Amino acid sequence: MPLSKEKKEVYYARLTRLLDTYTKCFVVEIDNVGSQQLHKTRITLRGTAEVLMGKNTLIRRVISDFLEKHPGHQIGKLLDQVKGNVGFVFTNGNLVEVRDVILANKIPAPARVGAIAPVDVIVPAGPTGCDPGQTNFFQVLQIPTKIQKGQIEITNPVHLIKIGDKVGNSEAALLTKLNIKPFSYGMGIRTVYENGSIFSVDVLNITPEVIIGKFSFALSSVAALSLRIGYPTQASVPHSIAKAFQAVVAVTIGLDNYSFPQADAFKNFLANPGAFAAVSAAPAAAGGAPAAAAAPAAAAPAVEEVDALDGGMDMFGGSGGGGGDY
């Protein structure tokens, strides 16, 4: 039913306000999404984002008129996205949070005849609740069954519909009979608009940690390549300086009449390693003193001494007094 002139004017004013107020929006696909589901999404996003649906011709007209009043505005990039059954979710908030709300609002739905399966449909094994008189129905679909306790039971899981296939009459009837709702529908995000940039929703999965990891990997690659070809770069210079310092210290250690402050620590360590060992052992000894003091108390219960040669074992592991095989 076409909109009345008054409703078109209200819609025109609202979309113009949204284009002028918000700098970010999601272009969403609303195939198989009912009005109740859209209403729930609106309620969930209230205060964070605004959801707007409408006829594509009217949306294009509003955007075109908005561009006439604001020449060169980046919102014009949205014109190419107004195709098919789409809507808009406008926001100035966090895109990741709004995306999560949009994608989370899904409801299970039955498989309708002629629908394209968005996922694989597998019928699980087990009782069906169908009486034995309906066995032929399962045989037509080549589903292995048996009669168990007065009802039909599927013996093995069956891959009924593959992703991308059309749902046939028999498949839809079987799923309805088994009360299986294999699909779930909700708003899908086609693309994201932010301050004149259009990009895929997958970009929102890139976290600061991912960026840091990619940057670190690239930096390491540049440094390795620069060191290999002998071409100094900002990434490789710290490694070159460290390597040069190691070489200078190695040469200085072999000289008796020359040193420098940074190399003295290495020379002193090689000249008297025991002094460094004593320094590092002192904290351990201080911490171990209580344990050492408690050791005699723990060892207080005396163990009765047994003569090693009196029926025991000799030093070579043989029986007492006889000597070993050696």
Side-chain angles (χ1 to χ4, degrees), residues 40 61 64 96 108 111 115 191 217 234 253 256 271 304 306 310 324:
K40 290 181 179 179
R61 177 188 163 193
S64 299
V96 175
T191 190
F217 177 77
Q234 191 172 0
I253 288 174
D256 296 331
E304 183 181 355
V306 179
D310 185 12

Side-chain angles (χ1 to χ4, degrees), residues 161-176:
I161 307 173
K162 294 182 179 179
I163 184 172
D165 289 350
K166 277 190 176 182
V167 180
N169 290 316
S170 299
E171 291 85 355
L174 174 63
L175 293 171
T176 301

Side-chain angles (χ1 to χ4, degrees), residues 71-215:
H73 199 286
Q74 298 294 331
I75 204 69
K77 294 182 179 180
L78 283 179
L79 279 173
D80 294 335
Q81 304 298 324
V82 187
K83 298 175 182 177
N85 195 12
V86 298
F88 298 93
V89 179
F90 292 91
T91 183
N92 281 330
N94 187 294
L95 288 174
V96 175
E97 294 177 358
V98 177
R99 176 206 61 182
D100 293 343
V101 172
I102 293 172
L103 298 181
N105 189 13
K106 294 182 180 291
I107 59 173
R112 296 185 177 89
V113 178
I116 303 299
V119 295
D120 291 323
V121 179
I122 298 176
V123 178
T128 62
C130 300
D131 61 83
Q134 303 182 54
T135 304
N136 291 337
F137 183 79
F138 292 88
Q139 291 177 347
V140 170
L141 293 172
Q142 298 181 348
I143 298 176
T145 60
K146 66 179 180 180
I147 306 301
Q148 184 76 16
K149 296 181 179 180
Q151 64 175 325
I152 298 174
E153 181 174 319
I154 299 175
T155 56
N156 298 311
V158 178
H159 195 166
L160 187 64
I161 307 173
K162 294 182 179 179
I163 184 172
D165 289 350
K166 277 190 176 182
V167 180
N169 290 316
S170 299
E171 291 85 355
L174 174 63
L175 293 171
T176 301
K177 190 181 294 290
L178 299 179
N179 196 26
I180 296 176
K181 295 181 177 180
F183 305 149
S184 60
Y185 295 114
M187 287 194 294
I189 299 176
R190 175 185 292 182
T191 190
V192 185
Y193 168 86
E194 182 178 14
N195 292 318
S197 299
I198 300 285
F199 52 89
S200 169
V201 67
D202 294 334
V203 174
L204 299 180
N205 294 327
I206 302 176
T207 62
E209 290 75 16
V210 172
I211 296 175
I212 292 172
K214 295 291 185 182
F215 180 80

Side-chain angles (χ1 to χ4, degrees), residues 315-326:
M315 65 183 292
F316 295 103
S319 58
D325 294 333
Y326 297 95

Side-chain angles (χ1 to χ4, degrees), residues 248-283:
V248 172
V249 169
V251 172
T252 304
I253 288 174
L255 301 176
D256 296 331
N257 57 353
Y258 176 77
S259 182
F260 58 95
Q262 288 78 6
D264 290 340
F266 298 95
K267 278 193 167 186
N268 294 337
F269 176 80
L270 294 175
N272 188 12
F276 290 85
V279 171
S280 61

